[in-house]
CSV table of all heavy atoms in Angstrom, one decimal:
chain,number,residue,atom,x,y,z
A,270,MET,N,179.2,-96.4,8.2
A,270,MET,CA,179.2,-95.3,9.2
A,270,MET,C,180.6,-94.8,9.3
A,270,MET,O,181.3,-95.1,10.2
A,270,MET,CB,178.8,-96.0,10.7
A,270,MET,CG,177.2,-96.2,10.7
A,270,MET,SD,176.4,-94.5,10.7
A,270,MET,CE,177.1,-93.8,12.1
A,272,ALA,N,181.0,-91.5,9.7
A,272,ALA,CA,180.8,-90.2,10.5
A,272,ALA,C,181.4,-90.5,11.8
A,272,ALA,O,181.3,-91.5,12.4
A,272,ALA,CB,179.4,-89.9,10.6
A,274,VAL,N,180.5,-89.8,15.2
A,274,VAL,CA,179.3,-89.4,15.9
A,274,VAL,C,179.6,-89.2,17.3
A,274,VAL,O,180.4,-89.9,18.0
A,274,VAL,CB,178.2,-90.6,15.9
A,274,VAL,CG1,176.9,-90.1,16.5
A,274,VAL,CG2,178.1,-91.2,14.5
A,275,ALA,N,179.1,-88.1,17.8
A,275,ALA,CA,179.4,-87.7,19.3
A,275,ALA,C,178.8,-88.8,20.2
A,275,ALA,O,177.8,-89.4,20.0
A,275,ALA,CB,178.7,-86.4,19.6
A,276,ASP,N,179.7,-89.2,21.2
A,276,ASP,CA,179.2,-90.2,22.2
A,276,ASP,C,178.4,-89.4,23.3
A,276,ASP,O,177.7,-90.2,24.0
A,276,ASP,CB,180.3,-90.9,22.8
A,276,ASP,CG,181.0,-91.9,21.8
A,276,ASP,OD1,180.3,-92.5,21.1
A,276,ASP,OD2,182.3,-91.8,21.7
A,301,THR,N,174.7,-90.2,23.8
A,301,THR,CA,173.9,-90.1,22.7
A,301,THR,C,173.5,-91.6,22.3
A,301,THR,O,174.2,-92.6,22.8
A,301,THR,CB,174.6,-89.5,21.5
A,301,THR,OG1,175.8,-90.3,21.3
A,301,THR,CG2,174.9,-88.0,21.8
A,302,VAL,N,172.7,-91.8,21.3
A,302,VAL,CA,172.4,-93.1,20.8
A,302,VAL,C,173.7,-93.6,20.1
A,302,VAL,O,174.3,-92.8,19.3
A,302,VAL,CB,171.1,-93.0,20.0
A,302,VAL,CG1,171.3,-92.1,18.8
A,302,VAL,CG2,170.8,-94.4,19.4
A,303,ASP,N,174.0,-94.9,20.2
A,303,ASP,CA,175.0,-95.5,19.2
A,303,ASP,C,174.4,-95.9,17.9
A,303,ASP,O,173.7,-96.9,17.9
A,303,ASP,CB,175.7,-96.7,20.0
A,303,ASP,CG,176.8,-97.2,19.1
A,303,ASP,OD1,176.8,-97.1,17.9
A,303,ASP,OD2,177.8,-97.6,19.8
A,304,VAL,N,174.5,-95.1,16.9
A,304,VAL,CA,173.8,-95.3,15.7
A,304,VAL,C,174.2,-96.6,15.0
A,304,VAL,O,173.3,-97.4,14.7
A,304,VAL,CB,174.1,-94.2,14.6
A,304,VAL,CG1,173.3,-94.3,13.4
A,304,VAL,CG2,173.8,-92.8,15.3
A,305,LEU,N,175.5,-96.9,15.0
A,305,LEU,CA,175.9,-98.2,14.4
A,305,LEU,C,175.3,-99.4,15.1
A,305,LEU,O,174.8,-100.3,14.4
A,305,LEU,CB,177.4,-98.3,14.4
A,305,LEU,CG,178.2,-99.4,13.8
A,305,LEU,CD1,177.8,-99.7,12.4
A,305,LEU,CD2,179.6,-99.4,14.0
A,321,GLY,N,181.4,-100.4,9.8
A,321,GLY,CA,181.6,-99.5,10.9
A,321,GLY,C,183.0,-98.9,10.7
A,321,GLY,O,183.8,-99.6,10.1
A,322,PHE,N,183.3,-97.8,11.4
A,322,PHE,CA,184.7,-97.3,11.4
A,322,PHE,C,185.1,-97.4,12.9
A,322,PHE,O,184.3,-97.3,13.7
A,322,PHE,CB,184.8,-95.9,10.9
A,322,PHE,CG,185.2,-95.8,9.5
A,322,PHE,CD1,184.3,-96.3,8.5
A,322,PHE,CD2,186.3,-95.3,9.1
A,322,PHE,CE1,184.6,-96.2,7.1
A,322,PHE,CE2,186.8,-95.3,7.7
A,322,PHE,CZ,185.8,-95.7,6.8
A,323,ALA,N,186.4,-97.4,13.1
A,323,ALA,CA,186.9,-97.3,14.5
A,323,ALA,C,188.0,-96.3,14.5
A,323,ALA,O,189.1,-96.4,13.8
A,323,ALA,CB,187.4,-98.6,14.9
A,324,ALA,N,187.9,-95.3,15.4
A,324,ALA,CA,188.9,-94.3,15.6
A,324,ALA,C,189.5,-94.6,16.9
A,324,ALA,O,188.9,-94.6,17.9
A,324,ALA,CB,188.3,-92.9,15.6
A,325,GLU,N,190.8,-95.1,16.8
A,325,GLU,CA,191.5,-95.5,18.1
A,325,GLU,C,192.7,-94.7,18.3
A,325,GLU,O,193.3,-94.4,17.3
A,325,GLU,CB,191.8,-97.0,18.1
A,325,GLU,CG,190.6,-97.9,17.7
A,325,GLU,CD,189.6,-98.1,18.8
A,325,GLU,OE1,189.8,-97.4,19.9
A,325,GLU,OE2,188.6,-98.7,18.6
A,340,LYS,N,186.1,-104.2,19.0
A,340,LYS,CA,185.0,-103.3,18.6
A,340,LYS,C,184.1,-103.9,17.6
A,340,LYS,O,182.9,-103.8,17.6
A,340,LYS,CB,185.6,-101.9,18.0
A,340,LYS,CG,184.5,-100.9,17.9
A,340,LYS,CD,185.0,-99.5,17.6
A,340,LYS,CE,185.5,-98.9,19.0
A,340,LYS,NZ,186.1,-97.5,18.8
A,343,ARG,N,181.9,-106.1,19.5
A,343,ARG,CA,181.0,-105.4,20.3
A,343,ARG,C,179.9,-104.8,19.5
A,343,ARG,O,178.7,-104.8,19.9
A,343,ARG,CB,181.8,-104.3,21.1
A,343,ARG,CG,181.1,-103.8,22.3
A,343,ARG,CD,181.9,-102.9,23.1
A,343,ARG,NE,182.5,-101.7,22.5
A,343,ARG,CZ,183.8,-101.5,22.3
A,343,ARG,NH1,184.8,-102.2,22.7
A,343,ARG,NH2,184.1,-100.4,21.8
A,344,LYS,N,180.2,-104.2,18.4
A,344,LYS,CA,179.3,-103.5,17.6
A,344,LYS,C,178.4,-104.4,16.8
A,344,LYS,O,177.3,-104.1,16.4
A,344,LYS,CB,179.9,-102.5,16.7
A,344,LYS,CG,180.7,-101.4,17.4
A,344,LYS,CD,179.9,-100.0,17.6
A,344,LYS,CE,180.8,-99.0,18.2
A,344,LYS,NZ,180.0,-97.7,18.3
B,1,CTP,N1,179.2,-94.6,16.2
B,1,CTP,C1,177.9,-94.4,16.1
B,1,CTP,N2,177.2,-93.7,17.1
B,1,CTP,C2,177.9,-93.3,18.1
B,1,CTP,C3,179.3,-93.4,18.2
B,1,CTP,C4,179.9,-94.2,17.2
B,1,CTP,O1,177.2,-94.9,15.1
B,1,CTP,N3,177.2,-92.6,19.1
B,1,CTP,C5,179.9,-95.4,15.1
B,1,CTP,C6,180.9,-94.6,14.4
B,1,CTP,O2,180.4,-94.0,13.2
B,1,CTP,C7,181.9,-95.7,13.9
B,1,CTP,C8,181.8,-96.7,15.0
B,1,CTP,O3,180.6,-96.5,15.7
B,1,CTP,O4,181.5,-96.4,12.7
B,1,CTP,C9,182.9,-96.6,16.1
B,1,CTP,O5,183.1,-95.3,16.6
B,1,CTP,P1,184.2,-95.0,17.6
B,1,CTP,O6,184.2,-93.6,17.8
B,1,CTP,O7,185.6,-95.6,17.1
B,1,CTP,O8,183.8,-95.9,18.8
B,1,CTP,P2,182.7,-95.7,20.0
B,1,CTP,O9,181.6,-96.5,19.7
B,1,CTP,O10,182.6,-94.3,20.3
B,1,CTP,O11,183.5,-96.5,21.1
B,1,CTP,P3,184.8,-96.0,22.1
B,1,CTP,O12,184.5,-94.6,22.4
B,1,CTP,O13,184.7,-97.0,23.2
B,1,CTP,O14,186.1,-96.2,21.2
Side-chain angles (χ1 to χ4, degrees):
M270 279 295 301
V274 187
D276 291 318
T301 57
V302 56
D303 188 324
V304 181
L305 178 61
F322 267 68
E325 306 289 357
K340 191 167 281 181
R343 195 166 69 241
K344 299 266 184 177

